Amino acid sequence: MQSQEKLIPLQQLDDLYTDAGQWQVNVGEEKVYPKRMPGRWRTRKLWASTLWLVFFLGPYLNWEERQAVLFDLPAQQFHLFGLTVLPQDLWILAAILLFFAILLAVVTAVAGRVFCGFFCFQTVWTDWYVWIEERLEGAPRQRKIQDDNPWSTTLLCRKLIKHGLWLFIALLTGVSFVAWFMDSAELWTGLLQRALPVEAWITLGLFTVGTYSLAGFMREQTCLWLCPYARIQGVMVDHNTLLPTYDVARGEPRQRIAKESPAVSPGACIDCNLCVAVCPTGIDIRQGQQPGCITCGLCLDACDYVMDKIGRPRGLIRYESFSGLAGHVEPRWYLRSRVWVYGAILLTCLAGGSYGLATLDGLELSVHQHRQPLYVLQSDGAIQNRYRLKILNKTADDQLVNIQFSGPRDAHMSGIDGPMLIKAYAVTARDLFVRVPSEAFLEEVVPITFLVKVTGNRTLNTERQSIVIGPSKRSD
């Protein structure tokens, strides 16, 4: 190809796009009727959208007689399969969320807005809505003619069915979202009996109306004007990012092929506009990269289809970097500096989140030493300190525990008589005293260890180190 046979300065290539045409951004003055075509990128887009089945089916997966994933905000508990994350451990969830945010940045730096094109909520739901619209109202051209003319009774019935299906999907979306934050069985029971909490009704209503309006009516306008990621993605890509790109040096000048005289045009592009017809946001990729491009690859399918028809090589529109299109030698994606920076942050978040989950204990013990007074000198010379122990039970069951301690010889603990009952998902506090003989104080402090032993479950045992403070040891 011409663009790969010779080196083109990047500025000159940019000028070629400028000469090929100017951006014409749709600001909502006309509705986009995207054409659906089969192809490898359409197939990949379909398979990618199936990942959203997790969103719909995930809340109904049980784990140990409980909903596997449940973000119980009223109880301030986050259940992740066998783990329960309480507010004290929210840094783990923050590390996991930051991991996915940085992963999005890494993917964008390497391959552009593939999240927008293949996985985004707005993109996937809009695609479903357009599919329903096409099945009921016909091809894009037919729908445009029908919308521009008075509606018939048949068309009105079809539109009522369409909007009914749209509302059903929107309602199911709202119910599925609420199910991640509320027990799914209680949700459906409350929904059928109209006895849900006010917060659940509000969330359900917002998601239903939002899905119906964004995917059904606003569509590409959401990507162009409402989505913040569409605005910040420009700082994440550079000349080495792989994007759907029109080979302007090979395609220009354009010339249509007449049926009666199929002469070979100077440029490979025959100006069929099929790449524009299939674009969900209605942009013309031949005019260069634009904020409306969601890198879905559907224009690649359309262009390859036309190239096959006219007997020319594929790849006039292809995933290519700006540098590669100009014939420059581009570094491999794993050798780029921004990928290394993003990757380092990514690994840090992954390591932190993994460590937090791996060290998440069923019981958590904290020891708070009273400072007023710092210590009490007994009549026999022994030193006594006072402590407040707080035991957090992160399990779903009440636990019977025994509190012990290890320390110097002849040290004694008082204030606890027998086993303690620790309530599920609750903090139990207890004050106690530790008495240490004076001869044990070779230094100003003496180390001790508190142990919490669970009856019938050794895996939940936990311990915490502390100190006994005595009078200052000053040399003569």
Side-chain angles (χ1 to χ4, degrees), residues 7-20 239 248 322-323 325-328:
L7 188 68
I8 302 176
L10 294 180
Q11 183 58 48
Q12 180 180 343
L13 185 62
D14 191 45
D15 292 340
L16 287 175
Y17 280 112
T18 303
D19 295 338
H239 288 160
V248 63
F322 202 58
S323 296
L325 196 65
H328 294 259

Side-chain angles (χ1 to χ4, degrees), residues 66 70-79 84-87 424-426:
R66 187 180 62 195
L70 177 62
F71 302 99
D72 192 349
L73 296 181
Q76 297 183 350
Q77 300 168 8
F78 305 94
H79 305 290
T84 298
V85 181
L86 299 182
Y425 302 127

Side-chain angles (χ1 to χ4, degrees), residues 46 92 111 143 153 194 200 219 224 254 274 322 328 362 400:
L46 176 63
I92 300 176
R143 299 202 304 271
T153 304
R194 299 189 298 276
R219 296 185 180 179
L224 291 171
R254 310 170 197 170
L274 195 58
F322 202 58
H328 294 259
L400 191 64

